[in-house]
Amino acid sequence: MPALKSSALRITAWTAVVLMVLVGGVWWAWSAYAAAQQPLQRDRNAFVGSNTCLSCHADHHASWKRTYHRTMTQEASGTSVQGQFDGKVVNAWGVPVRPVHRDGKYLFEYLDPSTQAVKATVEVARTVGSHRYQQYLSKDADGRYARMHLIWHIGDQRWVHYNGAFLYDDHQGFNQHAAVWNPNCIFCHNTGVNPNITNEDALLKRALAGERFNYLNAAHWDSEVAELGIACESCHGAGGTHAQANRNPLRRYALHFSGAGDATITNPKRLTPQRSAEVCGQCHGQRTPAKLEMASEWLRSGPSYRAGDVLAEHVSLVQPDTPVPAGDPDLFRLRFWKDGTPRLSAYEMQGLLQSDCYTRGGATCIGCHEAHGGTPTGMITEDNRTGASCIGCHKDAAALPAHAAHAKASPTTNCVDCHMPKMVYGVMEIHRTHRIRAPAPLAAASNKQPDACTTCHGNRSGQWAADAVSAWRRGAVAATATASIPENLRQLFEGDPVQRAVAAKLAGSDKSALTNAERAAQLPLLFAAMEDGYPAVRRFAQQSARVSADRLALPQLAKALQGFDFIGAGTARATALQAIRSAAPATKTASDALGGLLNADGSANAALLSSLRAQADTTAINIGE
């Protein structure tokens, strides 16, 4: 009996222990879960860097690492520098520059134009950009990172003086677009920004004493960033609190199994459409500080916005009527089309805010773009490039009469071609507008802006396009051609710099509705556009001519076009154009005179082109890049 009693006592004791462990475990788990629900005081400035995220989020880290966001700003090195520092001299705007790689350093040697002797040697400290073109920064003793004069165009595989990237004419100074990185590019191209101006008080005293000086050039900096490039914490907020809290595995499991959001980090997918779009809009929406007094704070410690905040509490998005504190009063107005639609890149947020898809449908950036998916170019899937994301709301769109008729006429055309046409200039390219709306050819023409119809149907007028759309909507036969000047070609010669640039680029688009014969007829007009006074327009006209030469299988013309340098000296360009015209096929009688732009023999009507050019707006447009 005593033995049995002892055994029973042992069982009871072990049972009690097990129950205590179970109860303790449940209590511990419940405590962890309860703790996970408690709001933590998140440190808005505790940036820890993407490597901290890697240990738990390896897949997201890997998908981010292959994006151009990651490589937006880098220290100059053999893996980051893409330009050819091969010792070949680049001549542009009066000063020869020789990019060289010596002793592990990347250098620009500035030469005397007369003797070719080296006048100055400047080392590349950092790179900006890795997709379309790459800029180079030097650093001086005052901590100032300055943009250097040559940029490497990655698609064209050539050096370009930065004057060629802007919407100004040939009469630019060698240093005209000099810029300082610390109070400008640093904000959007990096993570956890701290410009840290160090002599602000001294500069203020000089200004109050009436001294006139260039504030940004006189400023000294000790700038820091949590991470070069656009990293995890740009879109998710500072991660220090999150990393610390989630060292507790029970907290992680509790959050995982509950499906609840984690208040220590921002997930754009869990935000409202407006807050989610603003995460992208902090950079993809040109802005100024919400209050004037915040400007000083930006220069000292950087913008105050963090992912998930209400953007309007920190910034004011630039609009056509945004006041300009100093300088050209039309600075911001010229960055928009006449109806208020943005026409430069980095204004995507402003375009989205003007769209019914956003204001009525709740569309947001990540409905189309995927920060961790799609291709690095645009961070978008191939399906979404052609409008797959539109079908979620517009399920019956294909059945609409206008859509059905257009699909038969050109099966490759899709939602974004018509509702988000290419009409935006930036980084030496033409991009899609982010103001989503139905085509309105006549309204666009009256506003002196491109439209989806006539940039695709480049040999047709705005009236023709309006009649065609109206007829399709009624289920009637499409309109016939008119004798009017085609709208895209009118804008190519009569427009302002953005109009001319867009028209020149889209004249040779792969998706153009032009037949081969119509492309060939347009070539003399593209050659004429290569005489434009704006380098950007010349470049796009040359590109379109090359696309058409390849499409028409004209190898001699394609070769001659390669000899044209859009930023070369005027005499050299004229000689190259002579060779290009000689290499073009003999002109034939024009079956379509394109509203009088072509003579009977198919050559360009110089008198009419001169008349159109006399009406062109030649105002230079500061694109803010």
Side-chain angles (χ1 to χ4, degrees), residues 53-63:
C53 309
L54 173 61
S55 59
C56 290
H57 306 284
D59 54 342
H60 287 88
H61 187 277
S63 59

Side-chain angles (χ1 to χ4, degrees), residues 143-461:
R144 185 184 300 110
Y145 286 91
R147 176 164 61 194
M148 303 174 81
H149 297 82
L150 298 185
I151 61 178
W152 178 256
H153 195 281
I154 295 163
D156 293 350
Q157 285 291 290
R158 60 159 293 174
W159 289 107
V160 177
H161 187 287
Y162 55 38
N163 286 356
F166 293 87
L167 292 176
Y168 285 69
D169 64 16
D170 289 320
H171 305 295
Q172 303 176 64
F174 184 75
N175 299 314
Q176 183 156 337
H177 298 288
V180 179
W181 175 84
N182 311 70
N184 188 359
C185 320
I186 190 176
F187 295 127
C188 279
H189 294 170
N190 302 280
T191 304
V193 172
N194 179 14
N196 194 19
I197 186 171
T198 59
N199 64 335
E200 183 181 22
D201 291 342
L203 294 178
L204 181 60
K205 288 179 181 178
R206 289 171 61 182
L208 292 175
E211 183 180 349
R212 298 177 62 86
F213 60 95
N214 185 309
Y215 185 90
L216 295 181
N217 286 344
H220 297 176
W221 308 89
D222 187 15
S223 300
E224 295 179 337
V225 298
E227 190 162 0
L228 290 174
I230 303 160
C232 313
E233 292 163 298
S234 289
C235 303
H236 297 284
T241 304
H242 176 72
Q244 179 66 34
N246 285 289
R247 288 176 181 170
N248 180 349
L250 286 177
R251 184 179 193 277
R252 298 200 301 272
Y253 285 121
L255 286 168
H256 176 75
F257 288 113
S258 71
D262 187 343
T264 64
I265 202 72
T266 300
N267 182 346
K269 289 185 177 181
R270 290 183 177 270
L271 299 175
T272 64
Q274 183 177 2
R275 295 289 90 78
S276 175
E278 289 173 353
V279 173
C280 306
Q282 64 175 307
C283 288
H284 290 275
Q286 279 282 16
R287 69 270 183 264
T288 59
K291 300 175 183 177
L292 185 61
E293 57 268 24
M294 294 173 70
S296 180
E297 177 188 337
W298 280 33
L299 295 181
R300 290 195 308 271
S301 55
S304 55
Y305 173 82
R306 298 292 183 266
D309 287 351
V310 177
L311 187 62
E313 294 177 357
H314 303 268
V315 308
S316 294
L317 294 177
V318 169
Q319 302 295 345
D321 58 355
T322 296
V324 180
D328 182 5
D330 291 328
L331 174 68
F332 295 136
R333 181 184 65 81
L334 293 172
R335 297 179 181 183
F336 296 81
W337 297 107
K338 189 177 178 181
D339 67 350
T341 302
R343 57 180 185 162
L344 299 179
S345 59
Y347 286 79
E348 292 79 17
M349 184 68 179
Q350 283 90 329
L352 180 65
L353 291 175
Q354 296 170 336
S355 307
D356 284 349
C357 288
Y358 172 82
T359 58
R360 296 171 57 191
T364 188
C365 309
I366 57 177
C368 297
H369 297 274
E370 298 184 29
H372 295 283
T375 61
T377 306
M379 302 172 84
I380 189 169
T381 64
E382 288 305 314
D383 286 343
N384 281 356
R385 280 188 187 280
T386 56
S389 52
C390 306
I391 305 304
C393 292
H394 303 280
K395 294 180 174 61
D396 300 324
L400 295 175
H403 289 179
H406 200 274
K408 293 175 184 176
S410 59
T412 60
T413 304
N414 55 60
C415 307
V416 294
D417 288 332
C418 295
H419 298 281
M420 298 178 66
K422 292 187 175 182
M423 54 187 289
V424 169
Y425 181 83
V427 287
M428 298 181 71
E429 190 52 89
I430 304 300
H431 310 272
R432 295 194 181 281
T433 178
H434 278 66
R435 183 175 187 176
I436 309 165
R437 57 180 171 175
L442 289 183
S446 68
N447 286 326
K448 296 185 176 181
Q449 68 189 55
D451 74 276
C453 304
T454 58
T455 52
C456 183
H457 299 271
N459 60 339
R460 297 290 179 252
S461 67

Side-chain angles (χ1 to χ4, degrees), residues 167 334-337 342-344 422-426 429-430 448-450 491-492 495-505 534 536-537 540 617 619-623:
L167 292 176
L334 293 172
R335 297 179 181 183
F336 296 81
W337 297 107
R343 57 180 185 162
L344 299 179
K422 292 187 175 182
M423 54 187 289
V424 169
Y425 181 83
E429 190 52 89
I430 304 300
K448 296 185 176 181
Q449 68 189 55
Q491 296 194 26
L492 178 60
D496 71 10
V498 181
Q499 286 177 279
R500 302 202 306 275
V502 172
K505 175 68 176 183
Y534 279 62
V537 179
F540 285 136
D617 183 345
T619 305
I621 297 173
N622 185 325
I623 63 176

